[in-house]
Amino acid sequence: MAAHNAWIQRGFEDGVFLLTGGLNAGEGGAVLAHGLTRAELDARVAEDPFVAADVVRAEILDIAPGRTDPRLAFVKG
């Protein structure tokens, strides 16, 4: 778990992760990432120790922001 938490911390320090958190009990977690290409995101996710050790399988969903709160306007590019 420490290596996974360090991976998350690095994502925040790099300015890539905007939010992380758990899903419903036993259903895993979620990461909201921004500012990198799909290939860069795939590579970063592959570095998560849980993914690398085949503990979890990551599912990446692309979101094309249409309408945002003004505080999130930066995600629209």
Side-chain angles (χ1 to χ4, degrees):
M1 192 65 159
H4 174 69
N5 286 331
W7 175 80
I8 290 171
Q9 182 62 36
R10 186 177 48 125
F12 280 107
E13 290 170 356
D14 292 346
V16 172
F17 293 170
L18 303 177
L19 173 146
T20 63
L23 302 175
N24 291 331
E27 293 184 21
V31 175
L32 180 60
H34 176 66
L36 63 173
T37 67
R38 178 57 187 256
E40 292 167 335
L41 180 58
D42 288 340
R44 183 174 286 264
V45 168
E47 293 173 353
D48 177 351
F50 287 164
V51 174
D54 268 342
V55 174
V56 299
R57 182 184 63 80
E59 180 180 1
I60 299 174
L61 304 173
D62 292 314
I63 300 172
R67 183 175 176 181
T68 63
D69 179 283
R71 294 170 290 179
L72 296 174
F74 68 95
V75 301
K76 292 174 80 173

